[in-house]
Structure formats: C-alpha cells, structure tokens
Amino acid sequence: MTISQWELDLHARRLPRTESRDGDHRNPYQRDKARVLHSAAFRRLQAKTQVLGVGLSDFYRTRLTHSLEAAQIGTGITAQLWNKFPEIAQELVLDPTLIETICLAHDIGHPPFGHGGEIALNYMMHEHGGFEGNGQTFRIVTQLEPYTAEHGMNLCRRSILGLVKYPNFINTLHSKAHTATRPLSLRQVKADEWHPPKGLFACDKALFDWLLAPLCSEDKQRFMQFSENANGHGKTDYKSFDCSIMELADDIAYGIHDLEDAIVMDMVNKQHFVEEVTSPLKGLSIPWLSENIETLTTKLFSQAHHERKNAIGALVNSFITAIEIHKIQGFSHPLLAYNATMPNNFGEALGLFKRFVFRKVIRRPDVQLLEYKGQLVVMELFEAFASDPSRLLPENTQERWRKAQDNGNGMRVLADYISGMTDEFASRLYSSIFSPKQGGIQDSFHM
C-alpha cells in the first residue's frame, strides 16, 4: 500500500463532499477542527463537570478547558515527535491540526455530572447495550451532531480513528461473570458495581465497519483484541498512532493541570503531596525531574500565582519532551504499527500524579456526594422519559425515538438525549419535573 493510497483512504468521509467553496484551501483536518469547534456538543463542555462541580467557582476547569489544555499538549507532543523522529513523523503524515482536533473532541460524549452520570446511564441502559462516554463520542461525531442530516460531523476517517480509544464493543467486553443484582431503589445503586467496560455500542457496528474498511482482515482482528481488566471486563490492547498521542495529552492534562485546581481550592496539602508524589518520584531517578521535584513542589504550593504556573509548565514540559515513538509488531498498516509512548520511568511518575488526584480529590466524600447526587438526577430523568417517551420527550427527539423503535434501539435515543445535557440543564429539568412548585410551559426541554 502506497503512502498516497492509505492517506487517501483516511481522508474519506461517509458523506463525500459535493460542494467546493471558492478560496477554501484548508486540508481535511482543518475542516474537521472547524466542525468540532462549531458544534453544540463541544460548546456544552463548558457546562459539564471535569473534576469538581460546575458552578461552584468560576476559576477551575470544566470539560471544555480540560479539552483545550489537552489540545495544547497534543500539539506540543506533535512538535516534539517531528523534532525527535522526523522520518517516522513524515512516514505517518503526522499533522498538528489533526491531533489538536482529536484532543478537542475526545470528551464530547461524556454525560452530565462526570462519572456519576456515566454510571447512571450505564445502569439504566444495562439491558439495552450499556453506556460509556467514549462510545458516545463515536456516536456524536458519526451520526448525532447536526452538521449533516444523518452523518453527524462527517469527519474524515483518520480523525474518527484517532478518537476510538477502545476498538471493540461493550457487549463483547462485558464481564460474563458480572452479575450485580439490581437494587429495589435507584438510591441504592453502587457505582463500583456498574462501571461500564470501555468500548463502542453494538448498534453502531456498521459505522465501525466503515471506519476499519481500509484495514486488512489480520489488522482488524488484531486491532480489536482485548485482555481481561482488573474489574473482570475486557479492555482493548491497541489503539491507532494518533489516538496514542491524544491519550498521552489527556493523561498529562488530568495529572498535572487538574492538580492545580485541587491546590488552589485547598483540597490537598503539601505534606500529603510530598509523601505520595515528591518522595517516591525522587526515588525513580528520572533525569532532571527527580532532581528538581522538591523545588517544583515548593513552587506548586507557593502563594505566588506565577510560581505555581511556572512549576505546572515545567512539569508538563518534562513529560512532553520524554515521549517517544514505539514500533508495534504484527500490524501492516502504518497507523497501527506505531504508537507514541511514555518511557517507563516517566509513566510511573505521571501515574503518581494521576493517582494522587484520584485519591485526594475525586474520592473525597464531598466530591463523591456531588457525583452521587448527579447519578440520581440522571437515573430519575431516564426513568421518567422511559415511562412514556411519546408523551414526555421533546418533539424532535420523539421523532428520532419512533424511528429507532423500529430497530429496537429506542432506549439508545433516551441515552443520547440525556447524555447531551449539561449539568445545569439536567438539574433544572429535574426540578421542573419532580418539584411541585417548579416548572411551567416556558421551561423548554430543548437544548
């Protein structure tokens, strides 16, 4: 397969372009970036939870600012890889706008209220194909976002491939031994028992088949391989080269930038950070980072805003500049035969940051209380709409529901509708439905 041929295949769109605009000299990835930036799904990220509840402060990160930071890191990684591995970058036609686009779009499928909303929808959809945020991202870009009538944003194949972090289906990956009993009340749903496997929805198989059409059968089969995860679910083993860059950018943004919010909000203290990050990191003997982590720690917890910013920038830079390109044996397609990787010692160091944010921020009881509250809101909204969709859904969603009913996918339309809500919209709608003194004709259900 020649470079020009596989790149041509990867520029293909489900709906071929029929109109050309005078003077539009953008490449396919520049067009895709514009479609993501101008989409309603992307705008809604400004009102969706990242780590802390939206609306408690105007300072810290939402899913929108997280996505912008991930995109910035992604373009930084791209520049580094062009500098360190120019021949491979050229062979793979590594494009900074493509990586930026993938990073901007990577979270658009996440529902309101963070993981609480994801647990809620997976629980309500457990007999109808489940729910998972990455699978929803795939649906939005390929069919839901109204840039086209039926093909979503109609992004080119390579952009979509870069967004598929888990290339297999939830029903295939679901643990056969997972038999959590459904509780009598929605208030008794335990989050730990209803984490979805990460993957795509079976109802979207035709779109996934189109995406992988240029691959040989051996590559397809290997690309979809999975291993058993700690929770018993399957987890896919491979991702495309572009996706590997996006995932590294996402991890760095989560581990380093989200830490800044926790420090500023006084949710973590220096002593705990030293015990769980600084001291172990010193023992990893990482060039520059291990030698400077004590100084960086002092700056991170400094009262001077510019000192903290300086430390954050230095940490991000140390991880970006460490990234390498790794050859993966067994694939014939260039985009599957290479991945961007973090050297093991740097990967361990980033893991220290990520686990610290998870334990000291996300698992805090007050944060979990917010997640639980959001979980209940989403489940009760779903239960209400599922009770009588043709009566309660907005008219345009009713139309989609009726069509989907013919294929047995009516419940998927409910998940599409609720997952697209912002935290605030879902909360208002909940009050409008369940609070006797709230709500009226003026409280529109349209987003």
Side-chain angles (χ1 to χ4, degrees):
M1 183 187 286
T2 65
I3 291 294
S4 57
Q5 181 57 50
W6 70 255
E7 189 63 4
L8 198 63
D9 287 337
L10 292 166
H11 284 174
R13 302 177 189 275
R14 288 254 301 163
L15 184 66
R17 290 186 84 225
T18 53
E19 60 178 68
S20 58
R21 294 171 180 164
D22 290 344
D24 186 353
H25 301 298
R26 294 175 298 170
N27 70 29
Y29 310 129
Q30 289 168 328
R31 292 193 180 96
D32 285 356
K33 178 185 171 183
R35 294 177 189 192
V36 170
L37 278 175
H38 295 295
S39 67
F42 181 72
R43 288 196 303 276
R44 286 187 194 120
L45 294 177
Q46 68 187 304
K48 288 194 178 187
T49 295
Q50 172 59 14
V51 172
L52 306 168
V54 172
L56 297 179
S57 163
D58 61 2
F59 170 80
Y60 51 72
R61 289 160 174 84
T62 63
R63 284 210 182 267
L64 181 68
T65 56
H66 164 78
S67 299
L68 292 170
E69 284 169 340
Q72 179 66 26
I73 293 169
T75 53
I77 294 171
T78 304
Q80 279 294 322
L81 295 181
W82 265 105
N83 186 52
K84 290 163 72 174
F85 305 94
E87 291 180 2
I88 300 176
Q90 187 166 6
E91 179 190 348
L92 299 177
V93 200
L94 176 57
D95 186 285
T97 308
L98 165 69
I99 301 302
E100 187 180 10
T101 300
I102 294 167
C103 291
L104 288 171
H106 82 278
D107 261 357
I108 59 174
H110 282 270
F113 308 112
H115 291 293
E118 187 175 57
I119 295 293
L121 285 173
N122 185 52
Y123 176 80
M124 301 306 287
M125 288 290 291
H126 81 288
E127 291 180 356
H128 309 283
F131 181 88
E132 198 272 324
N134 296 284
Q136 192 66 20
T137 295
F138 183 77
R139 281 180 67 75
I140 289 169
V141 299
T142 57
Q143 56 194 298
L144 297 181
E145 181 64 36
Y147 178 82
T148 63
E150 295 178 349
H151 300 291
M153 295 184 196
N154 195 35
L155 304 181
C156 67
R157 187 182 261 120
R158 183 165 180 175
S159 296
I160 300 171
L161 185 65
L163 283 167
V164 178
K165 291 170 74 171
Y166 309 101
N168 208 316
F169 301 101
I170 284 180
N171 57 341
T172 304
L173 299 167
H174 200 281
S175 168
K176 303 300 178 278
H178 183 79
T179 55
T181 307
R182 284 178 69 80
L184 297 175
S185 163
L186 294 179
R187 297 185 178 190
Q188 295 172 358
V189 173
K190 289 184 171 63
D192 288 345
E193 295 178 356
W194 294 95
H195 280 290
K198 295 179 181 296
L200 305 174
F201 307 134
C203 59
D204 297 330
K205 184 179 183 301
L207 291 164
F208 188 58
D209 289 344
W210 172 83
L211 180 65
L212 301 191
L215 302 181
C216 67
S217 57
E218 292 81 5
D219 274 2
K220 283 183 195 175
Q221 201 170 0
R222 185 173 172 82
F223 188 49
M224 295 175 69
Q225 276 183 16
F226 59 91
S227 311
E228 189 173 303
N229 210 350
N231 60 12
H233 293 318
K235 185 178 181 185
T236 53
D237 298 326
Y238 300 105
K239 54 184 63 67
S240 71
F241 173 68
D242 303 322
C243 184
S244 71
I245 297 175
M246 175 267 281
E247 191 157 52
L248 287 170
D250 187 21
D251 283 350
I252 294 169
Y254 168 76
I256 309 302
H257 282 301
D258 290 358
L259 170 67
E260 184 184 8
D261 283 354
I263 293 170
V264 172
M265 300 293 291
D266 285 329
M267 300 182 80
V268 295
N269 65 52
K270 187 176 177 180
Q271 182 187 341
H272 287 152
F273 185 82
V274 169
E275 290 170 0
E276 298 191 26
V277 181
T278 309
S279 296
L281 209 156
K282 282 171 66 180
L284 291 175
S285 301
I286 300 173
W288 189 86
L289 189 54
S290 293
E291 301 151 27
N292 288 276
I293 188 61
E294 285 187 335
T295 305
L296 292 170
T297 300
T298 301
K299 288 183 175 181
L300 278 174
F301 287 87
S302 166
Q303 293 303 308
H305 185 73
H306 69 280
E307 291 273 7
R308 189 173 58 251
K309 283 293 179 191
N310 179 275
I312 292 288
L315 285 167
V316 169
N317 181 69
S318 69
F319 287 113
I320 288 177
T321 53
I323 291 170
E324 302 169 341
I325 295 179
H326 175 68
K327 184 86 159 75
I328 299 174
Q329 301 302 322
F331 285 110
S332 60
H333 197 288
L335 275 189
L336 304 186
Y338 293 96
N339 267 188
T341 60
M342 191 89 74
N344 288 338
N345 54 355
F346 277 91
E348 281 185 56
L350 186 56
L352 291 171
F353 284 94
K354 288 170 62 181
R355 285 191 295 275
F356 182 76
V357 171
F358 180 77
R359 284 198 299 261
K360 295 298 183 183
V361 182
I362 293 175
R363 297 303 297 178
R364 274 175 60 124
D366 52 349
V367 174
Q368 284 301 305
L369 208 60
L370 282 173
E371 268 201 13
Y372 174 77
K373 185 178 177 182
Q375 181 180 309
L376 274 181
V377 167
V378 169
M379 289 191 296
E380 295 203 22
L381 285 176
F382 193 104
E383 189 175 55
F385 287 119
S387 71
D388 199 346
S390 60
R391 177 188 181 196
L392 300 176
L393 287 171
E395 286 183 14
N396 59 338
T397 311
Q398 277 188 39
E399 186 62 33
R400 282 191 56 233
W401 177 78
R402 277 191 286 271
K403 288 180 182 175
Q405 278 290 88
D406 297 338
N407 302 317
N409 291 322
M411 290 298 181
R412 181 61 60 194
V413 173
L414 297 189
D416 290 340
Y417 176 54
I418 293 171
S419 71
M421 295 177 183
T422 63
D423 296 20
E424 175 61 25
F425 183 90
S427 297
R428 276 205 327 270
L429 187 53
Y430 179 90
S431 295
S432 181
I433 295 173
F434 297 109
S435 176
K437 295 185 179 180
Q438 298 292 324
I441 297 300
Q442 72 275 12
D443 292 321
S444 170
F445 278 28
H446 295 277
M447 289 185 290

